[in-house]
Amino acid sequence: MSEVHAARRSRLRARRASAGAEAALVSRSANVRYLAGPAPAGAVLLVGHSGADVLFAHWNPAGDPAGPRPAGDDGLRSVALGADVDPAVTAAAQAARDGAAALSVEEHHLTVARHRAVAAVVPDLVLNDLDCAVERQRLVKDEDEIAALRSAAEITDRALGELLESILVGRTERHLALELERRLVDHGADGPAFPTSVATGSHSGLAGHRPTDRRVEEGDFLTVCLGARFRGYRCQIGRTFVIGTSPADWQIELYEVVFAAQRAAREALAPGAEYRSVDRAARDVLDAAGHGRSLGPVTGHGVGLEIGEDPQLAPAAMGRLGPCVPVTVEPGVHLPGRGGVRIDDTLVVRSPADGGPELLTITTKELLAL
């Protein structure tokens, strides 16, 4: 992967050179990982104007016995810093010593105090805003990234499938969430992609519900939302089931509406499609059924090194999808006091010639009675 990371840094360097910036200081953790690979928490990356790139970090010998490494074939070297040294300030000073006339920083990530500290150490250096350039570069995934997402989805489907084969009645939301996260790790995940949500009864259908000690009961809707993190990449799946009995008429009706909304949004995914048009496809179905107000602010979002990265599939979102952009489609409806339905999938945008959207999360969307 070192060659891949080097190529990513070269693309960023070329874009910044055309903008008149000679060096870039990357401080957001996901962006550092994208450009340099796994790194200690708090590490920053200096993408030098001459191709000399340096990773500055506080190394923990217990967590990484190998420690910092000299420059390899990819041109990246790493430097260990003392606990009282700010990597961002050190990186800026290095850029000045290397002869850079300008430095782009991630103003959306640096605190005001940290930005002032950087400016103070390099008063003769022009500071520019990197302006989410790395996030935009991360938007379209290469096939190695998509392969990691595909593996994360396979792990997630497997963990969820095993849970569905177990006895659920009487167990708490919290216990089921912990079991799912354990199963993710057992099947090869680095860990959960985000806190696992298990919601039953009146809690079902709530987005981002934090599991409680409420126990699963006969006749409940059970909503589960989870994802694996594999080699840093994160996926998401959400499913809703009925516990122990045939679903009631209102449960069938609500499920069919949400499923239709989810299908409409999935079918709208295509290169060139507006972000907001995908959101509208789901929202129109729910509006027609009288549940439009139940849909949250977004119908879906990008996934990759982070959950909830760009693009945002929302009513006011500007932009168009490109090929090889992974996104979630996750409409839901919650009826206060009764419960609700969520159906979440992770897909990769593909052209019709390539078979259309690639569904990564394949656990059945049939309304099962467990």
Side-chain angles (χ1 to χ4, degrees):
M1 286 293 289
S2 60
E3 299 86 356
V4 172
H5 296 132
R8 292 171 182 171
R9 296 195 301 274
S10 293
R11 290 200 298 275
L12 178 65
R13 191 170 7 254
R15 291 190 177 101
R16 299 314 297 166
S18 65
E22 294 193 24
L25 194 163
V26 180
S27 55
R28 187 176 177 183
S29 295
N31 292 343
V32 171
R33 174 151 191 166
Y34 175 76
L35 295 169
V44 304
L45 173 67
L46 176 65
V47 180
H49 65 289
S50 62
D53 304 327
V54 189
L55 184 71
F56 295 90
H58 301 125
W59 249 270
N60 178 2
D64 185 3
R69 298 161 180 81
D73 295 338
D74 62 351
L76 177 67
R77 68 185 177 93
S78 51
V79 175
L81 302 176
D84 58 343
V85 178
D86 185 338
V89 172
T90 305
Q94 182 66 53
R97 288 195 297 271
D98 289 343
L103 178 67
S104 293
V105 301
E106 294 187 308
E107 291 185 354
H108 61 292
H109 178 262
L110 291 179
T111 63
V112 172
R114 209 173 182 198
H115 191 282
R116 287 173 177 167
V118 168
V121 79
V122 286
D124 297 327
L125 209 59
V126 176
L127 295 185
N128 300 312
D129 183 11
L130 194 51
D131 191 27
C132 297
V134 183
E135 286 88 345
R136 287 194 293 272
Q137 188 171 320
R138 286 168 47 197
L139 196 65
V140 177
K141 270 54 174 184
D142 60 38
E143 288 304 320
D144 286 334
E145 292 179 288
I146 292 173
L149 283 168
R150 199 176 287 121
S151 295
E154 290 172 357
I155 291 168
T156 306
D157 280 320
R158 189 173 176 185
L160 180 55
E162 289 179 352
L163 182 76
L164 301 184
E165 295 173 356
S166 61
I167 296 173
L168 302 176
V169 174
R171 298 167 70 182
T172 67
E173 295 174 345
R174 199 187 314 275
H175 181 260
L176 292 176
L178 290 171
E179 180 175 336
L180 280 166
E181 293 188 351
R182 177 185 61 80
R183 289 180 183 275
L184 292 173
V185 174
D186 287 347
H187 293 310
D190 303 332
F194 54 89
T196 298
S197 177
V198 175
T200 185
S202 60
H203 298 160
S204 59
L206 286 171
H209 172 70
R210 291 184 177 274
T212 69
D213 289 325
R214 188 189 190 284
R215 296 185 181 276
V216 178
E217 299 176 1
E218 294 270 350
D220 279 350
F221 260 147
L222 173 69
T223 301
V224 180
C225 187
L226 73 155
R229 186 177 78 251
F230 182 78
R231 295 180 182 171
Y233 286 82
R234 303 162 190 254
C235 75
Q236 178 175 327
I237 186 173
R239 294 291 187 266
T240 300
F241 310 98
V242 173
I243 298 298
T245 185
S246 297
D249 289 345
W250 75 270
Q251 292 175 320
I252 295 173
E253 179 182 348
L254 185 61
Y255 192 91
E256 288 179 347
V257 168
V258 175
F259 180 72
Q262 209 249 7
R263 182 177 58 236
R266 284 190 285 116
E267 292 174 349
L269 295 175
E274 293 183 318
Y275 300 158
R276 58 188 177 183
S277 70
V278 179
D279 176 87
R280 190 182 309 118
R283 210 169 286 272
D284 285 350
V285 174
L286 296 180
D287 278 338
H291 296 298
R293 293 185 177 180
S294 296
L295 185 58
V298 300
T299 293
H301 52 73
V303 293
L305 290 169
E306 298 175 292
I307 283 285
E309 62 186 43
D310 287 336
Q312 301 295 303
L313 307 180
M318 302 298 292
R320 295 179 181 271
L321 292 170
C324 300
V325 173
V327 295
T328 66
V329 175
E330 48 178 287
V333 170
H334 174 76
L335 305 180
R338 301 182 75 184
V341 176
R342 293 194 62 81
I343 306 174
D344 308 357
D345 277 311
T346 299
L347 308 96
V348 179
V349 177
R350 304 280 193 188
S351 69
D354 292 326
E358 178 186 355
L359 182 64
L360 300 187
T361 46
I362 62 173
T363 297
T364 181
K365 287 186 277 287
E366 180 183 354
L367 180 55
L368 299 179
L370 303 178

